[in-house]
């Protein structure tokens, strides 16, 4: 089941240069619904909520047509972050940050 999972994606027509991965137009969000349970279906459409838009701007997107890359959360893990420890009185509080372990749309 992919509903409720986080994703990262890149759209566009131009070929992606791996050496410039940091400059790709990455977007992230959450999947809210799907049209098919067969994730290999080329007509797979998902209802997504992008992080950079208000929740009422959700939209249906075609995974295999609209994106060059669509990575889906496989497992959510928490990792310790070295910088950013905050002091509370005399005790240091370690901040936990989520880290995504993702698979490509072909692994759905």
């Amino acid at each position: 089941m992919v509903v409720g999972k986080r994703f990262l994606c890149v759209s566009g027509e131009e070929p992606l240069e791996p050496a410039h991965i940091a400059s790709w137009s990455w977007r992230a969000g959450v999947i809210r619904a799907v049209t098919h349970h067969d994730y290999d279906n080329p007509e797979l459409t998902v209802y997504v909520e992008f992080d950079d838009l208000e929740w009422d701007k959700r939209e249906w997107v075609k995974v295999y047509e609209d994106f060059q890359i669509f990575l889906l959360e496989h497992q959510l893990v928490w990792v310790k972050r070295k910088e950013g420890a905050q002091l509370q009185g005399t005790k240091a509080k370690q901040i936990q940050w989520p880290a995504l372990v993702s698979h490509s749309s072909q692994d759905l």
Side-chain angles (χ1 to χ4, degrees):
M1 168 157 281
V2 298
V3 174
K5 296 218 179 226
R6 296 211 34 89
F7 68 88
L8 291 170
C9 63
V10 177
S11 59
E13 301 279 327
E14 296 183 25
L16 299 174
E17 299 282 336
H20 300 104
I21 192 170
S23 65
W24 296 352
S25 298
W26 290 99
R27 292 185 78 189
V30 178
I31 295 175
R32 296 300 182 195
V34 296
T35 57
H36 299 284
H37 292 292
D38 175 12
Y39 304 122
D40 290 328
N41 187 322
E43 296 294 318
L44 177 65
T45 305
V46 294
Y47 193 53
V48 297
E49 181 178 322
F50 288 106
D51 290 347
D52 59 347
L53 297 175
E54 297 293 325
W55 69 270
D56 60 345
K57 303 285 188 212
R58 295 175 182 164
E59 62 184 279
W60 287 99
V61 295
K62 291 190 173 196
V63 173
Y64 295 104
E65 291 180 23
D66 297 341
F67 304 103
Q68 291 190 52
I69 297 175
F70 193 88
L71 304 173
L72 182 65
E73 160 193 5
H74 173 67
Q75 182 178 16
L76 185 63
V77 297
W78 292 94
V79 295
K80 291 183 180 180
R81 180 176 166 181
K82 291 182 182 178
E83 78 275 354
Q86 298 176 353
L87 296 177
Q88 291 182 340
T90 58
K91 296 182 180 180
K93 178 183 175 187
Q94 186 68 266
I95 298 174
Q96 300 288 321
W97 291 91
L100 293 177
V101 178
S102 300
H103 290 272
S104 71
S105 58
Q106 295 173 0
D107 295 331
L108 293 176

